[in-house]
Amino acid sequence: MTLLSVREVSKRFGGLQAIDDLSFDVAQGSIKALIGPNGAGKTTLFNLISGSLEPDRGEIVFGGAAVHDLSPDRIASRGMVRTFQHIRLFPKMTVLENIMVGRHVHSRAGFLAGMLNLPFTWKEERRIREKSLEILDLLGIAEHARTEASSLAYGQQRVVEIGRALACEPKLLLLDEPAAGLNMRETNDMGRLIEKIRDMGVTVLLVEHDMSLVMKISDEIVVLSYGQKIAEDRPLSIQKNPEVIRVYLGDDGC
Amino acid sequence: MARRYSMVAAFAGLIVAIQLATHFMDASYHLTQLTMTAYYSLLIIGLCMLIGYAGQISLGHAGFFAIGGYVSAFLTTHNLSSYKGGAFASFLKKSGALVGRPDIYGGELLTVHPLLACVAAILLTVLIAYLIGGPVLKLKGHYLAMATLGFGIIIYRIPLGTTFLGAADGISDVPGFPLAPGVVISGASSLRVPNYYLAWGLVILGMALLLNLVQSRVGRALAALHGAEDAAGAMGIPTARYKLNTFVLSAVFASLAGVFLTHYNGGIGPSEASVMKSVRYVAIVAIGGMANLWGALLMSLVLNYLSLRGYFGTYDDTVFGAILILIMLFAPDGLLRRHLFTDLKRLVSREPADEEAP
């Protein structure tokens, strides 16, 4: 079953055609990777899917409904949540508080209820806290619950960012270069974490430069070059695809 | 949560202690300025919520204060007795929406009831805050500061140029404000002590509401959008709406402060709308520690009181301008911020180590 469908999407910045008539589907329960050389349009595509940018043409359908004209927060509340290439935690809040923000779409206390400290908000806050602690346990970072997020090591910050996204209980998790800046051991752990997330029933779409990670965990790979899709296949076939080899290594006599 | 309310109780104790001190030192005339300070503090804590927690600056909050004060002053002093014969006016009078009182010439003055005037002032404030805040809060940093400054300047010029708002003289002879049966906000010296407690009671109520908000889901969302707005949006927080709601909330606090202080003082003048007032409010929030409601409240208590008692003399505005410059230079996160003590400790423990170097 298709969870996310990108249909004939185009996006132009001035003279640059960043995304050119691009289409692909993401099947529910799978890990799909977007790869391509620098400047291929991967980040633009992520921003289009998550609602930070609006496409010039085409549509993006998520869970059966068009979402390309919705704001990022509306898209997130429908169950599509992203992480950022450059980690975007809330620096002055603790790790636990960061995760608790992720529960926003699953709770409802507004300005008035908050100011009046209404009894239903106490129960809600308790549930938010319990659920967030569960996520910290799942990720194995429970001992950092009360640490200020900005004082964690880089690799751990990335795990917290994924935890915050998981707190939203997304149907689709968008990971923008989850292994960027991680060492080899951390990258391996990240790969196992992403597989674990998929096994929990969360569909994953990721942009990643680390080829060994992409080849190991992806169910399917889309290759972009200059905003166009040049290949879409399983990892083993992608590795043998002459077009892919050409854009990555160049075609002049190697 | 227990800590939240024990701080409130401690502050209430401070308010009682101040009153007792003025009583035993036979200086109860200080209570007048302390009561005025309370109403300014109501504005300050609302502004602290906007600047410190939601991370949005406003250099136009004196404008919202003036909207509250002027609407209420105009409606409660504008004589409607020429409409007295009309069926609608007599219906309004019977229902209590209009009230009569003798004027100084022995005639009858027919005006809008203060409670109704207050409701009108708040509704107008909410409307204007939504209309201004909607487009303006899309701006960030100093662009937002300049846009709200422009709003403040416009509001300042309106009463100055409007005859029925008293132009440069402002509006006087504003009646007391009957908050509840037997409870009147009024500057009458016989009501000095109850009015002092009434005013600070309102501040404490406002503090309790805002402290609750800070600790709630909304407070967490505001802290998140203050820290990283794009990430907050990606977590499903409607950042534009939350910023706007906080802006309107702080405008309502400012407007209520304007309504109450105008009835307490018995009038309002255009200087209340001036941009220097807005700058002063921002300076107090800054020295109070930005995201620190208690710091802002304590600084408001001290600085407004000193200013109103005239301790700063002709340098009044200079003092607040200087505070703002010094804070921005040396403690841009605010002076009484949360980590002040740990920072100081680190500073003290590091200095000897530095001196050891040859």
Side-chain angles (χ1 to χ4, degrees), chain B residues 147-167:
Chain B
T148 52
L149 180 69
F151 164 74
I153 292 171
I154 292 170
I155 296 294
Y156 175 52
R157 300 308 300 191
I158 290 174
L160 263 183
T162 310
T163 333
F164 66 81
L165 293 179

PDB file of all heavy atoms in Angstrom, chain B residues 147-167:
ATOM      1  N   ALA B 147       8.436  47.576  13.437  1.00  0.00           N
ATOM      2  CA  ALA B 147       7.017  47.594  13.073  1.00  0.00           C
ATOM      3  C   ALA B 147       6.146  47.898  14.292  1.00  0.00           C
ATOM      4  O   ALA B 147       5.214  48.709  14.211  1.00  0.00           O
ATOM      5  CB  ALA B 147       6.620  46.250  12.463  1.00  0.00           C
ATOM      6  N   THR B 148       6.460  47.291  15.450  1.00  0.00           N
ATOM      7  CA  THR B 148       5.661  47.573  16.637  1.00  0.00           C
ATOM      8  C   THR B 148       5.907  48.998  17.124  1.00  0.00           C
ATOM      9  O   THR B 148       5.006  49.644  17.654  1.00  0.00           O
ATOM     10  CB  THR B 148       5.977  46.579  17.773  1.00  0.00           C
ATOM     11  OG1 THR B 148       7.393  46.553  17.981  1.00  0.00           O
ATOM     12  CG2 THR B 148       5.496  45.189  17.424  1.00  0.00           C
ATOM     13  N   LEU B 149       7.138  49.496  16.899  1.00  0.00           N
ATOM     14  CA  LEU B 149       7.434  50.891  17.229  1.00  0.00           C
ATOM     15  C   LEU B 149       6.527  51.813  16.414  1.00  0.00           C
ATOM     16  O   LEU B 149       5.953  52.773  16.948  1.00  0.00           O
ATOM     17  CB  LEU B 149       8.903  51.181  16.928  1.00  0.00           C
ATOM     18  CG  LEU B 149       9.424  52.582  17.207  1.00  0.00           C
ATOM     19  CD1 LEU B 149       9.458  52.835  18.701  1.00  0.00           C
ATOM     20  CD2 LEU B 149      10.814  52.771  16.621  1.00  0.00           C
ATOM     21  N   GLY B 150       6.381  51.501  15.138  1.00  0.00           N
ATOM     22  CA  GLY B 150       5.499  52.295  14.283  1.00  0.00           C
ATOM     23  C   GLY B 150       4.070  52.290  14.800  1.00  0.00           C
ATOM     24  O   GLY B 150       3.413  53.339  14.864  1.00  0.00           O
ATOM     25  N   PHE B 151       3.609  51.130  15.215  1.00  0.00           N
ATOM     26  CA  PHE B 151       2.269  51.035  15.796  1.00  0.00           C
ATOM     27  C   PHE B 151       2.153  51.939  17.021  1.00  0.00           C
ATOM     28  O   PHE B 151       1.188  52.694  17.177  1.00  0.00           O
ATOM     29  CB  PHE B 151       1.973  49.577  16.161  1.00  0.00           C
ATOM     30  CG  PHE B 151       0.812  49.416  17.100  1.00  0.00           C
ATOM     31  CD1 PHE B 151      -0.486  49.580  16.645  1.00  0.00           C
ATOM     32  CD2 PHE B 151       1.019  49.123  18.444  1.00  0.00           C
ATOM     33  CE1 PHE B 151      -1.557  49.445  17.520  1.00  0.00           C
ATOM     34  CE2 PHE B 151      -0.035  48.988  19.317  1.00  0.00           C
ATOM     35  CZ  PHE B 151      -1.327  49.151  18.850  1.00  0.00           C
ATOM     36  N   GLY B 152       3.172  51.888  17.891  1.00  0.00           N
ATOM     37  CA  GLY B 152       3.162  52.710  19.103  1.00  0.00           C
ATOM     38  C   GLY B 152       3.093  54.197  18.780  1.00  0.00           C
ATOM     39  O   GLY B 152       2.363  54.950  19.427  1.00  0.00           O
ATOM     40  N   ILE B 153       3.841  54.608  17.747  1.00  0.00           N
ATOM     41  CA  ILE B 153       3.854  56.031  17.380  1.00  0.00           C
ATOM     42  C   ILE B 153       2.475  56.459  16.868  1.00  0.00           C
ATOM     43  O   ILE B 153       1.965  57.521  17.236  1.00  0.00           O
ATOM     44  CB  ILE B 153       4.940  56.286  16.301  1.00  0.00           C
ATOM     45  CG1 ILE B 153       6.328  56.093  16.915  1.00  0.00           C
ATOM     46  CG2 ILE B 153       4.803  57.693  15.730  1.00  0.00           C
ATOM     47  CD1 ILE B 153       7.461  56.101  15.911  1.00  0.00           C
ATOM     48  N   ILE B 154       1.846  55.604  16.066  1.00  0.00           N
ATOM     49  CA  ILE B 154       0.512  55.933  15.549  1.00  0.00           C
ATOM     50  C   ILE B 154      -0.472  56.124  16.700  1.00  0.00           C
ATOM     51  O   ILE B 154      -1.191  57.120  16.777  1.00  0.00           O
ATOM     52  CB  ILE B 154       0.006  54.827  14.599  1.00  0.00           C
ATOM     53  CG1 ILE B 154       0.853  54.803  13.328  1.00  0.00           C
ATOM     54  CG2 ILE B 154      -1.468  55.037  14.260  1.00  0.00           C
ATOM     55  CD1 ILE B 154       0.599  53.611  12.439  1.00  0.00           C
ATOM     56  N   ILE B 155      -0.463  55.151  17.634  1.00  0.00           N
ATOM     57  CA  ILE B 155      -1.410  55.235  18.752  1.00  0.00           C
ATOM     58  C   ILE B 155      -1.149  56.500  19.566  1.00  0.00           C
ATOM     59  O   ILE B 155      -2.072  57.156  20.031  1.00  0.00           O
ATOM     60  CB  ILE B 155      -1.301  53.973  19.646  1.00  0.00           C
ATOM     61  CG1 ILE B 155      -1.712  52.739  18.852  1.00  0.00           C
ATOM     62  CG2 ILE B 155      -2.159  54.106  20.897  1.00  0.00           C
ATOM     63  CD1 ILE B 155      -3.156  52.692  18.439  1.00  0.00           C
ATOM     64  N   TYR B 156       0.132  56.861  19.740  1.00  0.00           N
ATOM     65  CA  TYR B 156       0.476  58.051  20.508  1.00  0.00           C
ATOM     66  C   TYR B 156      -0.118  59.306  19.874  1.00  0.00           C
ATOM     67  O   TYR B 156      -0.620  60.202  20.554  1.00  0.00           O
ATOM     68  CB  TYR B 156       2.004  58.165  20.586  1.00  0.00           C
ATOM     69  CG  TYR B 156       2.520  59.424  21.256  1.00  0.00           C
ATOM     70  CD1 TYR B 156       2.053  59.798  22.513  1.00  0.00           C
ATOM     71  CD2 TYR B 156       3.486  60.205  20.637  1.00  0.00           C
ATOM     72  CE1 TYR B 156       2.536  60.939  23.130  1.00  0.00           C
ATOM     73  CE2 TYR B 156       3.974  61.345  21.256  1.00  0.00           C
ATOM     74  CZ  TYR B 156       3.498  61.712  22.492  1.00  0.00           C
ATOM     75  OH  TYR B 156       3.980  62.833  23.105  1.00  0.00           O
ATOM     76  N   ARG B 157      -0.076  59.379  18.519  1.00  0.00           N
ATOM     77  CA  ARG B 157      -0.542  60.594  17.858  1.00  0.00           C
ATOM     78  C   ARG B 157      -2.064  60.700  17.868  1.00  0.00           C
ATOM     79  O   ARG B 157      -2.598  61.801  17.718  1.00  0.00           O
ATOM     80  CB  ARG B 157      -0.058  60.651  16.389  1.00  0.00           C
ATOM     81  CG  ARG B 157       1.439  60.632  16.207  1.00  0.00           C
ATOM     82  CD  ARG B 157       2.183  61.644  17.010  1.00  0.00           C
ATOM     83  NE  ARG B 157       1.823  63.029  16.720  1.00  0.00           N
ATOM     84  CZ  ARG B 157       2.491  64.091  17.144  1.00  0.00           C
ATOM     85  NH1 ARG B 157       3.582  63.910  17.862  1.00  0.00           N
ATOM     86  NH2 ARG B 157       2.079  65.304  16.866  1.00  0.00           N
ATOM     87  N   ILE B 158      -2.775  59.590  18.000  1.00  0.00           N
ATOM     88  CA  ILE B 158      -4.240  59.649  17.906  1.00  0.00           C
ATOM     89  C   ILE B 158      -4.864  60.493  19.022  1.00  0.00           C
ATOM     90  O   ILE B 158      -5.564  61.454  18.736  1.00  0.00           O
ATOM     91  CB  ILE B 158      -4.850  58.228  17.830  1.00  0.00           C
ATOM     92  CG1 ILE B 158      -4.506  57.612  16.463  1.00  0.00           C
ATOM     93  CG2 ILE B 158      -6.371  58.270  18.018  1.00  0.00           C
ATOM     94  CD1 ILE B 158      -4.918  56.166  16.324  1.00  0.00           C
ATOM     95  N   PRO B 159      -4.610  60.206  20.309  1.00  0.00           N
ATOM     96  CA  PRO B 159      -5.221  61.069  21.337  1.00  0.00           C
ATOM     97  C   PRO B 159      -4.706  62.512  21.253  1.00  0.00           C
ATOM     98  O   PRO B 159      -5.467  63.449  21.501  1.00  0.00           O
ATOM     99  CB  PRO B 159      -4.799  60.404  22.655  1.00  0.00           C
ATOM    100  CG  PRO B 159      -3.671  59.523  22.317  1.00  0.00           C
ATOM    101  CD  PRO B 159      -3.862  59.105  20.904  1.00  0.00           C
ATOM    102  N   LEU B 160      -3.425  62.670  20.888  1.00  0.00           N
ATOM    103  CA  LEU B 160      -2.860  64.029  20.803  1.00  0.00           C
ATOM    104  C   LEU B 160      -3.609  64.868  19.774  1.00  0.00           C
ATOM    105  O   LEU B 160      -3.757  66.083  19.938  1.00  0.00           O
ATOM    106  CB  LEU B 160      -1.392  63.959  20.386  1.00  0.00           C
ATOM    107  CG  LEU B 160      -0.359  64.016  21.488  1.00  0.00           C
ATOM    108  CD1 LEU B 160       1.037  63.998  20.884  1.00  0.00           C
ATOM    109  CD2 LEU B 160      -0.547  65.278  22.323  1.00  0.00           C
ATOM    110  N   GLY B 161      -4.090  64.216  18.713  1.00  0.00           N
ATOM    111  CA  GLY B 161      -4.726  64.973  17.654  1.00  0.00           C
ATOM    112  C   GLY B 161      -6.242  64.892  17.676  1.00  0.00           C
ATOM    113  O   GLY B 161      -6.892  65.316  16.717  1.00  0.00           O
ATOM    114  N   THR B 162      -6.817  64.323  18.707  1.00  0.00           N
ATOM    115  CA  THR B 162      -8.261  64.115  18.724  1.00  0.00           C
ATOM    116  C   THR B 162      -8.891  64.949  19.834  1.00  0.00           C
ATOM    117  O   THR B 162      -8.563  64.769  21.012  1.00  0.00           O
ATOM    118  CB  THR B 162      -8.587  62.624  18.943  1.00  0.00           C
ATOM    119  OG1 THR B 162      -7.832  61.855  18.017  1.00  0.00           O
ATOM    120  CG2 THR B 162     -10.070  62.352  18.743  1.00  0.00           C
ATOM    121  N   THR B 163      -9.784  65.865  19.446  1.00  0.00           N
ATOM    122  CA  THR B 163     -10.359  66.781  20.426  1.00  0.00           C
ATOM    123  C   THR B 163     -11.163  66.040  21.489  1.00  0.00           C
ATOM    124  O   THR B 163     -11.033  66.321  22.683  1.00  0.00           O
ATOM    125  CB  THR B 163     -11.281  67.798  19.732  1.00  0.00           C
ATOM    126  OG1 THR B 163     -10.832  67.964  18.399  1.00  0.00           O
ATOM    127  CG2 THR B 163     -11.285  69.119  20.459  1.00  0.00           C
ATOM    128  N   PHE B 164     -12.011  65.082  21.051  1.00  0.00           N
ATOM    129  CA  PHE B 164     -12.870  64.449  22.061  1.00  0.00           C
ATOM    130  C   PHE B 164     -12.093  63.508  22.986  1.00  0.00           C
ATOM    131  O   PHE B 164     -12.618  63.033  23.977  1.00  0.00           O
ATOM    132  CB  PHE B 164     -14.082  63.760  21.423  1.00  0.00           C
ATOM    133  CG  PHE B 164     -13.753  62.569  20.558  1.00  0.00           C
ATOM    134  CD1 PHE B 164     -13.514  61.328  21.120  1.00  0.00           C
ATOM    135  CD2 PHE B 164     -13.736  62.711  19.174  1.00  0.00           C
ATOM    136  CE1 PHE B 164     -13.236  60.231  20.315  1.00  0.00           C
ATOM    137  CE2 PHE B 164     -13.452  61.616  18.373  1.00  0.00           C
ATOM    138  CZ  PHE B 164     -13.196  60.390  18.934  1.00  0.00           C
ATOM    139  N   LEU B 165     -10.814  63.265  22.687  1.00  0.00           N
ATOM    140  CA  LEU B 165      -9.965  62.526  23.635  1.00  0.00           C
ATOM    141  C   LEU B 165      -9.099  63.496  24.440  1.00  0.00           C
ATOM    142  O   LEU B 165      -8.158  63.084  25.116  1.00  0.00           O
ATOM    143  CB  LEU B 165      -9.088  61.512  22.897  1.00  0.00           C
ATOM    144  CG  LEU B 165      -9.841  60.359  22.233  1.00  0.00           C
ATOM    145  CD1 LEU B 165      -8.877  59.425  21.505  1.00  0.00           C
ATOM    146  CD2 LEU B 165     -10.663  59.562  23.243  1.00  0.00           C
ATOM    147  N   GLY B 166      -9.414  64.797  24.339  1.00  0.00           N
ATOM    148  CA  GLY B 166      -8.753  65.766  25.199  1.00  0.00           C
ATOM    149  C   GLY B 166      -7.426  66.272  24.669  1.00  0.00           C
ATOM    150  O   GLY B 166      -6.751  67.029  25.356  1.00  0.00           O
ATOM    151  N   ALA B 167      -7.029  65.844  23.460  1.00  0.00           N
ATOM    152  CA  ALA B 167      -5.755  66.273  22.856  1.00  0.00           C
ATOM    153  C   ALA B 167      -4.626  66.194  23.886  1.00  0.00           C
ATOM    154  O   ALA B 167      -4.496  65.187  24.575  1.00  0.00           O
ATOM    155  CB  ALA B 167      -5.887  67.669  22.254  1.00  0.00           C
TER     156      ALA B 167
END
